[in-house]
Amino acid sequence: MTEHRRIPRTRADWQALAASLVEQGIETRAYIDDAFVDAADGATLTTVNPATGETLAEVASCDAADAERAVSAARRAFDAGEWSRLAPGQRKAVLLRLAALMEDHKHELALLDTLDMGKPVGSSLGDMAGAIGCLRHHAESIDKLYGEVAPTGNDSLGLVLREPLGVVASIVPWNFPLMMTAWKIGPALAAGNSVILKPSEKSPLSALRLANLAREAGLPRGVFQVLPGFGHTVGKALALSMDVDCLAFTGSTGVGKQLMQYAGQSNLKKVFLECGGKSPNLVFADCKDLDRVAEHAAGAIFHNQGEVCIAGSRLLVENSIREAFVDKVLAAAERMQPGDPLDPDSFMGAMVDQAQYERVLDYIRRGVAEGATLRSGGQSLDGPGLFIPPTVFDGVTETMAIGREEIFGPVLAVFGFDDEDEAVRLANDSDYGLAAGLWSQDIDRIMRVTRRLRSGQVFVNNWADMDQTVPFGGVKQSGNGRDKSHHSLEEYSDLKSVWMTLAP
């Protein structure tokens, strides 16, 4: 499959590229031990375009037998050392080639994610930039991380070495398919591990295309493999494997808890989790340019149809400006309506599948039943696709499900507060702690509140303005791992202490 030479810019261009992809054929087989193969039992799963209801492909649905074969190949590759003991500069060169190939095929990769899970193609292109940047960042980091020499007397030498973990199983979600993949496999491969990727059954296509590019880039046999399938089959098999050394997961808190149990039931493998969120976005009356802040507050929840782990789904507004500010958020939401994902001007696309679509609509009905004030949206849109418009509830309280539970859809819950202490209490009153936003011009308040918020990351006078240089992850039931930055490389390495006694 080759990239169109013409850069797609319009809806018609993207439709033409989509037709070309279908005509050439989309890879649907698993990638195991350097070969594209059907699942051992021949099982398949159906992937559907949620914007049209049309079937895209029947994809291999792997199970325990496929997992066993992939783990065996990954262990063999790791022990052989063709990648794990390769000089850092040489691993760097291979990963940079992979990043360059992704750059060459970014429109094709973006389109696969858009067709697979319904997100706007402009958003998917942004994801590709993030994925490519992530691989390049970790590739460039490989030969710039040093071990340590411990402080000892003259008769000893203490060394602290970094070594790869071994076999890493990366289980990634459907909302940012290839970007989340890069966040996992980039540091894991850079550290010298063998990686088995389990993409979501709802969005496997870009991962399978990536496997082809990885082989072209020169990753050795068995070092990178892709097993499409369901979590309760192939995902569970990987988690219970006695020969997988690490699980890296992004997804729901419930599944994260299951994976930790599986690790305990097997070999105490390391488990790095990035789980759910119900992120608060605090707006104080002293902030400037409320129109700009409202635009960001709306984007924080409605971007990617609200299918975002760090979505600013709880908007906490100081009561003295609440009414006027909510009106501005409603005006911003009107400019963020869903549209054809192949239209570069669409801000929102379709919900990923029927189950998620019904889940979001059920939460909206619960919000109305619990007494919240529905200010906008709340209904599905006519047509074949799974579209839900931006939905805003005001007058939300801490006991309401829409104010406590992760919905993973375009539903905003607005709370009011009277002072700083109440704002912090409301923000921290959550099982989650993935992200938080803070809007204020008072530097003293910013420093106080930033320290008091129980969150893995705090965005001050922005929402999610970050890059590869800072770690991403949460606290509480939002998980325990960190993606991005040098800190993620550390998670995919073990420390080995070497103590030498020197001859006098």
Side-chain angles (χ1 to χ4, degrees):
M1 194 179 296
T2 57
E3 179 84 353
H4 265 5
R5 295 306 173 195
R6 178 181 175 183
I7 297 175
R9 302 187 187 280
T10 67
R11 178 182 177 185
D13 291 340
W14 285 106
Q15 288 173 330
L17 180 56
S20 175
L21 288 182
V22 173
E23 181 181 350
Q24 294 178 65
I26 298 172
E27 182 58 70
T28 60
R29 296 167 296 173
Y31 182 62
I32 302 175
D33 201 14
D34 206 35
F36 286 97
V37 296
D38 294 328
D41 62 1
T44 62
L45 59 88
T46 303
T47 180
V48 175
N49 182 341
T52 65
E54 298 173 351
T55 296
L56 291 168
E58 296 293 331
V59 178
S61 183
C62 296
D63 207 333
D66 306 288
E68 183 177 356
R69 181 182 170 197
V71 171
S72 176
R75 175 61 60 192
R76 184 173 64 247
F78 182 80
D79 291 344
E82 190 176 353
W83 182 256
S84 59
R85 294 195 294 273
L86 190 65
Q90 293 175 282
R91 289 204 305 272
K92 168 183 171 178
V94 174
L95 291 182
L96 287 176
R97 282 199 296 273
L98 176 56
L101 286 168
M102 292 173 65
E103 180 77 42
D104 290 342
H105 295 269
K106 64 183 178 183
H107 298 99
E108 174 190 330
L109 293 167
L111 181 57
L112 287 172
D113 278 355
T114 287
L115 294 175
D116 223 0
M117 61 81 52
K119 70 192 307 169
V121 72
S123 177
S124 293
L125 275 175
D127 295 353
M128 292 312 109
I132 295 163
C134 175
L135 277 183
R136 285 178 172 152
H137 175 88
H138 289 299
E140 292 289 357
S141 299
I142 295 173
D143 56 1
K144 299 172 182 65
L145 293 178
Y146 291 80
E148 302 171 18
V149 178
T152 65
N154 291 333
D155 58 349
S156 304
L157 176 64
L159 303 177
V160 181
L161 309 178
R162 290 194 178 278
E163 297 187 340
L165 298 175
V167 177
V168 174
S170 298
I171 303 176
V172 298
W174 46 261
N175 57 333
F176 293 90
L178 201 56
M179 190 171 77
M180 294 292 100
T181 290
W183 284 16
K184 300 300 186 193
I185 72 169
L189 289 172
N193 298 286
S194 295
V195 178
I196 302 170
L197 173 67
K198 207 296 280 185
S200 170
E201 66 277 7
K202 300 180 182 184
S203 58
L205 299 181
S206 62
L208 294 171
R209 182 67 180 108
L210 180 66
N212 206 307
L213 298 180
R215 181 164 64 177
E216 185 178 345
L219 279 167
R221 178 177 177 176
V223 169
F224 178 62
Q225 301 172 87
V226 181
L227 301 183
F230 292 95
H232 65 272
T233 55
V234 67
K236 181 177 180 180
L238 290 170
L240 286 170
S241 172
M242 296 296 290
D243 218 13
V244 169
D245 302 291
C246 172
L247 284 176
F249 170 76
T250 293
S252 71
T253 296
V255 174
K257 290 179 179 181
Q258 285 184 317
L259 294 177
M260 293 193 79
Q261 293 177 22
Y262 294 151
Q265 292 168 19
S266 53
N267 59 345
L268 288 177
K269 57 178 63 68
K270 291 188 175 183
V271 182
F272 301 129
L273 304 174
E274 192 263 278
C275 298
K278 192 70 176 177
S279 300
N281 207 357
L282 287 67
V283 179
F284 287 90
D286 62 43
C287 64
K288 294 180 180 178
D289 194 355
L290 290 181
D291 289 318
R292 171 182 171 272
V293 178
E295 193 79 21
H296 281 266
I301 176 61
F302 301 132
H303 171 64
N304 209 53
Q305 309 78 245
E307 296 169 326
V308 184
C309 55
I310 62 168
S313 54
R314 290 189 293 148
L315 180 60
L316 282 53
V317 187
E318 193 165 352
N319 280 322
S320 62
I321 62 167
R322 177 174 164 184
E323 183 175 348
F325 186 76
V326 171
D327 285 343
K328 293 179 184 295
V329 171
L330 293 172
E334 281 298 313
R335 299 187 290 273
M336 300 178 178
Q337 298 299 312
D340 184 352
L342 293 180
D343 185 344
D345 292 328
S346 293
F347 184 86
M348 287 172 50
M351 307 307 295
V352 68
D353 65 4
Q354 188 71 35
Q356 185 63 19
Y357 175 76
E358 295 294 343
R359 170 186 168 87
V360 174
L361 291 177
D362 182 62
Y363 269 107
I364 292 171
R365 288 189 288 267
R366 290 172 68 183
V368 173
E370 290 177 332
T373 302
L374 181 63
R375 296 292 305 274
S376 72
Q379 72 289 330
S380 59
L381 300 182
D382 294 334
L386 305 175
F387 296 96
I388 298 175
T391 298
V392 178
F393 281 100
D394 201 355
V396 179
T397 67
E398 298 158 88
T399 61
M400 296 179 181
I402 60 169
R404 299 201 65 83
E405 299 176 18
E406 184 178 41
I407 299 174
F408 227 61
V411 181
L412 179 62
V414 181
F415 298 75
F417 65 84
D418 290 317
D419 57 37
E420 186 178 303
D421 285 341
E422 185 182 13
V424 172
R425 181 185 63 77
L426 286 170
N428 288 338
D429 185 17
S430 173
D431 292 334
Y432 302 107
L434 187 55
L438 169 60
W439 301 83
S440 173
Q441 305 306 130
D442 184 335
I443 187 61
D444 293 323
R445 167 178 285 148
I446 288 171
M447 298 307 296
R448 287 193 305 269
V449 174
T450 296
R451 285 174 168 81
R452 295 177 67 188
L453 291 171
R454 295 193 63 200
S455 177
Q457 48 215 322
V458 179
F459 308 119
V460 179
N461 293 328
N462 72 87
W463 186 266
D465 286 354
M466 52 186 173
D467 62 21
Q468 289 296 325
T469 60
V470 295
F472 182 102
V475 298
K476 298 194 282 186
Q477 292 190 46
S478 288
N480 56 21
R482 291 297 182 269
D483 291 314
K484 306 197 308 178
S485 83
H486 290 339
H487 294 284
S488 61
L489 272 169
E490 295 168 0
E491 292 194 339
Y492 294 103
S493 303
D494 267 333
L495 295 181
K496 176 181 284 184
S497 298
V498 179
W499 190 274
M500 302 181 188
T501 298
L502 304 178

